[in-house]
């Protein structure tokens, strides 16, 4: 595994190749967030009925709660409308860099039926400020109006739009959290099958990468995750991906043709349910010869950098993401001039 090109941390552990551990103590803010997720969010999520009729209601509630957080500051916003969905380009204020100089395509999380531009503007804005690059925040279609396959198609459409507007694939990095992390890898795999040039790197923040929920039923973190219940993952997959209770294994990125993927960075909480997905993907990427780094963060909740980007741990994680993005773009520049 090659450390330098993927911005791997200097903090190594004995957990396995490519696995790094957060060495710092949990901040008071992160501890408070963990308690709030476990005591408030978890019971609500666990008992909320995920059905087509209830999905829009949940999205409205989450959007209103997201509006209470500080919005993305220090950036300029440009709206883009495509057929059926929209995107937002965030650039550091006063820095009108072209897409061809480098770009991050960000896909938000939310279980394929929640969240959008407003909820994930803070994390996208943070990445724009930290990298100095445009960040394209994609508000793909979600359930119940689109299946998971439809969400992938929208992200592929967004990537085609970027390429048609001058983006250099060798200076483009895909990133996303949770369901958006799924789309990060799924879009890269779909791009390869469609004959498109692949991106320079992939970043998954607590990514869902394996839709086969049955394999996670006995995972050690099923009862440790602060707010993501296995039962709701099952319901989400059943509505978004199963056809007559049959799940196409090829839809899960962990089962894709991984050998052609670019270097990847995976960040996940140590006690998350989706640590299962990240460890499985890291093993399969390594077997396929794809450089990758998996970081396990102690005391952090699911998708913590996108939930509260200003927490000390979130800032540290996003700084690592920014270093990874710059390393991928700079390594391509070095390769071209060599």
């Amino acid at each position: 595994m090659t450390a330098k090109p993927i911005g791997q941390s200097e903090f190594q552990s004995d957990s396995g190749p490519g696995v790094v551990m957060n060495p710092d103590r949990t901040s008071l803010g992160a501890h408070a967030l963990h308690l709030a997720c476990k005591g408030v969010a978890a019971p609500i999520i666990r008992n909320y009925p995920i059905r087509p009729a209830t999905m829009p209601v949940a999205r409205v509630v989450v959007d209103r709660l997201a509006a209470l957080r500080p919005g993305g500051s220090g950036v300029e916003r440009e709206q883009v409308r495509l057929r059926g969905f929209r995107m937002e380009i965030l650039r550091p204020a006063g820095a009108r860099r072209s897409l061809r100089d480098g770009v991050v395509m960000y896909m938000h999380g939310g279980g394929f039926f929640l969240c959008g531009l407003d909820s994930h503007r803070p994390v996208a804005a943070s990445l724009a400020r930290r990298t100095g690059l445009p960040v394209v925040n994609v508000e793909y279609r979600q359930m119940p109006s689109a299946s998971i396959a439809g969400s992938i198609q929208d992200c592929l459409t967004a990537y085609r739009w970027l390429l048609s507007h001058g983006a250099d694939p060798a200076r483009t990095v895909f990133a996303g959290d949770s369901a958006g992390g799924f789309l990060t890898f799924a879009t890269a795999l779909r791009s390869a099958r469609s004959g498109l040039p692949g991106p320079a790197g992939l970043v998954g923040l607590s990514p869902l990468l394996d839709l086969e929920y049955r394999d996670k039923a006995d995972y050690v973190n099923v009862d440790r995750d602060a707010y993501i219940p296995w039962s709701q993952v099952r319901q989400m997959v059943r509505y978004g991906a199963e056809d007559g209770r049959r799940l196409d294994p090829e839809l899960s990125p962990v089962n894709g043709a991984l050998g052609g993927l670019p270097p990847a960075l995976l960040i996940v909480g140590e006690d998350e349910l989706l640590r299962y997905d990240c460890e499985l993907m890291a093993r399969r990427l390594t077997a396929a010869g794809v450089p990758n780094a998996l970081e396990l963060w102690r005391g952090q909740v699911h998708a913590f950098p996108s939930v509260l980007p200003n927490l000390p741990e979130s800032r540290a994680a996003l700084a690592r993401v920014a270093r990874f993005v710059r390393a991928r773009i700079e390594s391509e520049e070095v390769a071209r001039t060599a």
Side-chain angles (χ1 to χ4, degrees):
M1 187 169 299
T2 305
K4 187 176 180 180
I6 59 176
Q8 195 174 45
S9 167
E10 66 273 23
F11 299 108
Q12 295 287 346
S13 78
D14 295 328
S15 302
V19 179
V20 295
M21 303 293 290
N22 174 26
D24 302 319
R25 291 183 298 176
T26 303
S27 69
L28 290 177
H31 185 63
L33 176 61
H34 189 279
L35 291 176
C37 288
K38 197 171 186 67
V40 179
I44 295 174
I45 295 172
R46 188 176 297 112
N47 295 296
Y48 191 83
I50 298 181
R51 296 192 297 265
T54 63
M55 291 175 183
V57 176
R59 181 167 183 173
V60 169
V61 172
V62 170
D63 284 347
R64 289 182 178 177
L65 289 174
L68 300 176
R69 297 184 305 166
S73 60
V75 295
E76 299 172 355
R77 294 158 51 189
E78 177 185 349
Q79 298 293 322
V80 177
R81 290 198 172 272
L82 300 179
R83 181 173 297 180
F85 67 101
R86 60 178 181 154
M87 307 188 302
E88 185 174 75
I89 305 177
L90 302 174
R91 292 181 172 89
R96 300 294 296 178
R97 294 186 67 176
S98 168
L99 294 176
R100 65 175 55 90
D101 295 327
V103 61
V104 176
M105 189 171 96
Y106 193 87
M107 288 146 276
H108 69 81
F112 299 105
F113 70 97
L114 294 172
C115 302
L117 299 185
D118 295 338
S119 64
H120 283 67
R121 185 172 296 117
V123 66
S126 178
L127 288 175
R129 293 191 303 268
R130 290 177 181 279
T131 62
L133 299 173
V135 174
V136 178
N137 195 7
V138 183
E139 192 174 69
Y140 51 89
R141 290 173 301 146
Q142 301 186 86
M143 297 186 287
S145 62
S147 65
I148 293 175
S151 297
I152 298 172
Q153 185 58 47
D154 284 355
C155 292
L156 183 64
T157 298
Y159 184 45
R160 289 184 187 275
W161 183 92
L162 278 176
L163 296 178
S164 69
H165 284 74
D168 182 349
R171 298 183 182 182
T172 300
V173 173
F174 291 175
D177 64 281
S178 195
F182 176 100
L183 294 169
T184 292
F185 283 82
T187 304
L189 290 167
R190 183 69 61 85
S191 298
R193 293 203 301 270
S194 301
L196 297 175
L202 304 173
V203 177
L205 305 176
S206 301
L208 170 69
L209 297 167
D210 187 7
L211 295 177
E212 184 45 83
Y213 52 85
R214 300 171 187 87
D215 291 344
K216 288 189 269 281
D218 297 323
Y219 183 56
V220 64
N221 283 351
V222 164
D223 296 322
R224 294 178 181 174
D225 195 295
Y227 73 101
I228 300 296
W230 175 85
S231 59
Q232 297 298 65
V233 173
R234 176 188 60 192
Q235 285 298 99
M236 178 268 293
V237 173
R238 283 182 174 177
Y239 279 112
E242 286 188 346
D243 182 11
R245 294 298 177 93
R246 179 187 177 276
L247 178 64
D248 181 3
E250 293 302 313
L251 195 58
S252 294
V254 292
N255 298 323
L258 304 179
L261 290 181
L265 171 64
L266 301 169
I267 292 177
V268 67
E270 185 179 17
D271 294 330
E272 282 195 56
L273 174 62
L274 297 187
R275 174 179 170 178
Y276 173 94
D277 299 55
C278 293
E279 290 179 329
L280 178 59
M281 177 60 88
R283 290 195 299 269
R284 292 188 178 179
L285 287 172
T286 299
V290 177
N292 66 92
L294 169 60
E295 297 192 359
L296 307 179
W297 287 67
R298 288 192 182 98
Q300 305 308 310
V301 302
H302 174 69
F304 64 97
S306 64
V307 175
L308 286 179
N310 287 325
L311 284 177
E313 291 87 350
S314 298
R315 292 198 300 270
L318 292 173
R320 295 185 187 223
V321 172
R323 288 199 296 271
F324 172 84
V325 170
R326 289 194 297 267
R328 293 309 308 144
I329 292 174
E330 291 167 2
S331 67
E332 176 59 28
E333 291 174 351
V334 170
R336 289 182 174 184
T337 58

